[in-house]
Amino acid sequence: MIDDGTGLLTIGELARSTGLTVRTIRYWSDEGVLTPVTRSAGGYRLYDAESVARLELVRTLRELGLGLDDVRKVLAGETTVAEVAAAHVVALDAQIRSLRVTRAVLSTVARRGSTAEEMTLMHKLARLSAAERRRIMEEFVDELFHGLDTVDPCIKERMRSIAVDLPDDPTPEQVDAWVELAEMVQDPEFRAQMRRTMEFNASDQARSAHPGRSTWFPMRLLQLGADARRRGIAPESPEAEEIVREVLGEGGDPAAVLERMVSASNDRLARYRELLSTVKGGTPAAAHREEFAWVVAALRARAAG
């Protein structure tokens, strides 16, 4: 405190009383968040007790991550600390999610021994915003159903409700699965393959198949295939005949059903289902490759005959 009875502090005294550096206080003063009360005869900045309290508030706000623009607005009464804090919580949450994704990507790179090019691609895809990730999936689904008004509504609803996104704290396996999934759904060959499956479905529905059958039918095939494998029945054996008849129904054509099964039960679609399950926190066992493969083999044996 200068010894003139005014109780004012020089910038050096203010620094000593608050523990801040003279350089920091001078910078904040130059930026207009800590205006000096007056200046001495020698031109030095002078501050009072209120300046000390203001300086403590500025320091607290800065330590919480607020920029000087926000600090000025709070000090000027243009906004409240609560309002600014709420906005920063949102921003920090976004930063935390981004850092978690980055950490998961780096863990995946370290585990897989990825090349620089592969790491760049993984990081680019994994760091897409939630809106961009949603757009990729929505465009994929839109292309599948474009012009196919007779697709089973249950299938449409299920496909459109798939919200595939990385969780807030993804594992390296989930990042890996998301990257592979994003590449897959943007691959024209895979899109054409999925489109063919939807065209089969639309054709079936156009012949008055009951809504929901497209959801029920694969589950029934899964049950039949699982039961046959559990009983040790070979798909080419005579014992499989009864099971195939149950799949086909009266007058069913093995070749026609086989074509639809192959379109919906191939390795790439199985991998697609596995990736979806992994990203959403499930296990890849949901693809049921062996069970569907048994049904396909049994149908193929009858269609060839």
Side-chain angles (χ1 to χ4, degrees):
M1 184 181 300
I2 60 174
D3 190 18
D4 63 357
T6 63
L8 298 177
L9 302 170
T10 64
I11 197 168
E13 291 168 330
L14 187 61
R16 285 192 293 274
S17 68
T18 60
L20 292 164
T21 65
V22 170
R23 181 178 180 180
T24 296
I25 297 173
R26 183 177 292 115
Y27 173 68
W28 287 349
S29 292
D30 291 340
E31 291 297 314
V33 297
L34 186 70
T35 306
V37 173
T38 186
R39 287 183 179 266
S40 68
Y44 294 104
R45 305 177 219 214
L46 299 177
Y47 303 88
D48 58 10
E50 187 177 334
S51 300
V52 176
R54 186 181 178 93
L55 184 58
E56 291 292 352
L57 175 58
V58 172
R59 172 162 63 181
T60 299
L61 294 174
R62 291 291 287 156
E63 287 177 350
L64 288 173
L66 273 67
L68 288 178
D69 285 342
D70 285 330
V71 171
R72 273 192 291 268
K73 290 177 182 177
V74 170
L75 296 175
E78 297 174 11
T79 187
T80 66
V81 173
E83 289 170 340
V84 173
H88 274 260
V89 166
V90 174
L92 284 172
D93 283 344
Q95 288 179 330
I96 290 169
R97 285 193 295 271
S98 177
L99 287 171
R100 283 171 171 165
V101 170
T102 299
R103 181 182 182 279
V105 169
L106 290 173
S107 297
T108 301
V109 169
R111 175 171 52 85
R112 288 175 46 177
S114 303
T115 64
E117 294 78 8
E118 191 176 21
M119 182 183 71
T120 299
L121 174 62
M122 289 179 61
H123 194 244
K124 177 182 177 182
L125 289 173
R127 288 290 297 274
L128 291 173
S129 70
E132 290 169 323
R133 288 194 289 265
R134 187 166 56 251
R135 177 187 56 77
I136 287 173
M137 295 307 297
E138 286 175 349
E139 287 181 354
F140 168 62
V141 174
D142 286 344
E143 182 175 315
L144 291 187
F145 295 129
H146 180 69
L148 299 179
D149 297 332
T150 58
V151 168
D152 187 336
C154 295
I155 293 294
K156 276 189 176 183
E157 182 179 355
R158 173 175 289 188
M159 288 293 293
R160 293 194 183 281
S161 67
I162 294 174
V164 183
D165 197 2
L166 286 169
D168 288 344
D169 191 8
T171 64
E173 291 75 19
Q174 285 173 313
V175 172
D176 222 358
W178 159 251
V179 171
E180 186 177 343
L181 183 64
E183 291 182 284
M184 180 178 286
V185 300
Q186 294 177 89
D187 175 19
E189 184 178 337
F190 177 72
R191 289 191 177 212
Q193 194 173 54
M194 285 288 284
R195 171 73 178 189
R196 183 62 177 148
T197 300
M198 293 301 107
E199 287 170 349
F200 277 133
N201 184 276
S203 176
D204 290 340
Q205 289 300 119
R207 291 194 292 270
S208 301
H210 294 296
R213 178 172 171 77
S214 297
T215 303
W216 168 85
F217 192 58
M219 295 307 298
R220 180 61 182 147
L221 295 178
L222 170 63
Q223 292 169 359
L224 292 171
D227 182 61
R229 293 183 72 248
R230 186 166 52 251
R231 291 160 56 191
I233 298 174
E236 305 83 6
S237 67
E239 292 87 350
E241 188 71 38
E242 182 180 348
I243 297 173
V244 172
R245 278 202 304 270
E246 192 170 350
V247 171
L248 297 178
E250 290 297 328
D253 179 3
V257 177
L258 174 62
E259 189 178 12
R260 282 155 176 73
M261 280 296 298
V262 170
S263 78
S265 308
N266 58 71
D267 283 343
R268 291 204 78 190
L269 266 67
R271 182 58 179 161
Y272 169 75
R273 290 190 288 268
E274 288 174 350
L275 294 171
L276 284 177
S277 180
T278 300
V279 171
K280 297 174 80 171
T283 61
H288 302 296
R289 293 172 186 260
E290 294 83 2
E291 292 84 353
F292 283 122
W294 188 96
V295 176
V296 168
L299 286 169
R300 185 170 281 133
R302 271 73 200 171

